[in-house]
Amino acid sequence: MVRVTSDDQVTRGAQPRMTLGTMYFGTTVPQDVAERILDEAYDSGVRSWDTANNYAFWVRGGSGDESEQCLGRWFRRHPERRDEISLATKVGARPRPGARDLDEALGLSPAAIDSQLRASLRRSAADHVDLLYAHIDDTTVPLADTLGAMEELRQAGLVRRIGASNLTASRLRTAIEVGGHGGGYRFLQQRFSYLWPAADADIAPHVLLDEAVVAECSAAGIAMLGYSPLLSGAYTRADRPLPSGYATQHCNAMLQSLADVAAWVGLDMGQTVLAWMGQRSTPVWPVVGVSTPEQLRSAVTAVETRLPDDALAALDAARMEQ
Ligand SMILES: NC(=O)c1ccc[n+]([C@@H]2O[C@H](COP(=O)([O-])OP(=O)(O)OC[C@H]3O[C@@H](n4cnc5c(N)ncnc54)[C@H](OP(=O)(O)O)[C@@H]3O)[C@@H](O)[C@H]2O)c1
């Protein structure tokens, strides 16, 4: 069973068991609102912050610089707080200059990793990142080269820990073999929520944290983080239908169980998902996207609510039934 151990902590000290996702900070979330959320996150002890070097290039007018720059402005305003924040960024999935999609991404060659990381540091006004992810798989580069480049940055002090995102179980297994005992990726960030989509659902470029991936992480002691845990708010909002691929009988049964447990514990259904993620027997740290201070408060309340063992068991049982 994987636990986030003191050596592999996502955050430092006793903090709410969540990471703040900043994907739309500086684009759809205006700078002033984003900074209020960052202030509130800091004050409420949420010190694990997640960005990437391509957030959010797909938004109209976005270049991919905005989220890191937004964090950079906050760090310039609060230089004394930088060391209290665990800053994670990701490289590899930024389109090449002039390109607009992931088919033409900068990728994960050693030179590309090095230059992308240095640009991220400049944008985010940081001299290191606490966690550097390989954002998407790059099968054109040997994993040994990618891992070697990330390890070099770690040894140079520009990166504290390394992780990956959006790997299939078989690619993760290869990365674990290449990384060797105790080396390689220590964190994996994949798409994860209480509901899971039909097997044939097209969620690309996202890759699920499915049971096969969980098994690989558990065996190798890799800490797991789950992005898009709230399915964009679909658990609680009539204006947010479930993404395609979730209209299954199994999802309906899981939703019923989730509604029952949420009513029992006094959280809304999205909050119950966030609480469940961190408290399941194989914890998955939620990477929560918020666009208002109220949404941040809701998430903090969720992850600080202790779910009774029977509630966790009921949720797990409904999730496993097919
Ligand atoms: N590694 C990767 O490839 C990858 C991919 C995607 C995301 N991520 C990371 O994961 C983070 C979260 O991803 P996501 O935005 O897809 O997450 P999500 O949890 O699926 O959705 C977040 C959205 O849900 C809505 N929401 C939040 N709190 C709510 C509440 N209390 N009640 C109702 N609705 C609520 C908000 O929508 P509105 O803003 O519209 O109100 C918010 O923007 C990102 O910021 C990023 O850091 C990583």
Side-chain angles (χ1 to χ4, degrees), residues 78-117:
H78 302 290
E80 76 291 355
R81 294 180 176 176
R82 169 64 190 93
D83 286 346
E84 296 176 66
I85 304 297
S86 177
L87 174 65
T89 195
K90 315 182 193 80
V91 295
R94 184 179 172 102
R96 294 174 190 283
R100 289 301 293 172
D101 70 54
L102 296 182
D103 290 341
E104 296 180 83
L106 289 171
L108 297 173
S109 69
I113 289 173
D114 189 88
S115 62
Q116 287 176 83
L117 188 259

Side-chain angles (χ1 to χ4, degrees), residues 20-24 29 50-51 55 90 135-136 165-166 189-190 205-206 226-234 236-237 240 268 271 287-291 294-296 298-299:
L20 174 66
T22 66
M23 187 158 68
Y24 292 111
V29 182
D50 183 81
T51 182
Y55 290 166
K90 315 182 193 80
H135 200 163
I136 51 174
S165 188
N166 299 308
Q189 184 181 134
Q190 308 263 110
H206 291 178
Y227 66 74
S228 303
L230 298 175
L231 297 176
S232 304
T236 51
R237 285 162 62 167
R240 293 288 160 84
D268 71 33
Q271 288 179 308
V287 187
V288 187
V290 299
S291 60
E294 294 71 30
Q295 290 178 351
L296 176 75
S298 166

Side-chain angles (χ1 to χ4, degrees), residues 8 25 32 62 67 69 77 91 105 116 139 156 167 176 223 227 253 257:
D8 256 354
F25 284 19
D32 61 327
S67 171
Q69 284 175 339
R77 209 156 49 82
V91 295
Q116 287 176 83
T139 54
L167 288 185
I176 291 166
Y227 66 74
S257 171

Side-chain angles (χ1 to χ4, degrees), residues 39-156:
D39 287 341
E40 179 134 354
Y42 177 86
D43 290 342
S44 54
V46 176
R47 306 283 172 85
S48 169
W49 297 358
D50 183 81
T51 182
N53 75 342
N54 70 352
Y55 290 166
F57 76 85
W58 55 93
V59 170
R60 181 189 282 267
S63 66
D65 289 351
E66 291 83 358
S67 171
E68 289 181 332
Q69 284 175 339
C70 181
L71 296 181
R73 282 192 201 106
W74 193 90
F75 287 134
R76 280 195 197 90
R77 209 156 49 82
H78 302 290
E80 76 291 355
R81 294 180 176 176
R82 169 64 190 93
D83 286 346
E84 296 176 66
I85 304 297
S86 177
L87 174 65
T89 195
K90 315 182 193 80
V91 295
R94 184 179 172 102
R96 294 174 190 283
R100 289 301 293 172
D101 70 54
L102 296 182
D103 290 341
E104 296 180 83
L106 289 171
L108 297 173
S109 69
I113 289 173
D114 189 88
S115 62
Q116 287 176 83
L117 188 259
R118 288 173 197 277
S120 288
L121 293 177
R122 283 194 296 277
R123 282 192 289 271
S124 48
D127 61 1
H128 71 278
V129 294
D130 299 277
L131 173 55
L132 178 67
Y133 290 101
H135 200 163
I136 51 174
D137 200 359
D138 181 352
T139 54
T140 68
V141 178
L143 274 164
D145 292 2
T146 294
L147 280 163
M150 293 174 86
E151 177 59 20
E152 264 184 40
L153 291 170
R154 198 184 68 76
Q155 286 180 12

Side-chain angles (χ1 to χ4, degrees), residues 79 187 199 208 234 269 277 280 295 301:
F187 295 84
L208 283 181
M269 288 166 70
M277 283 174 65
R280 62 201 289 272
Q295 290 178 351
T301 300

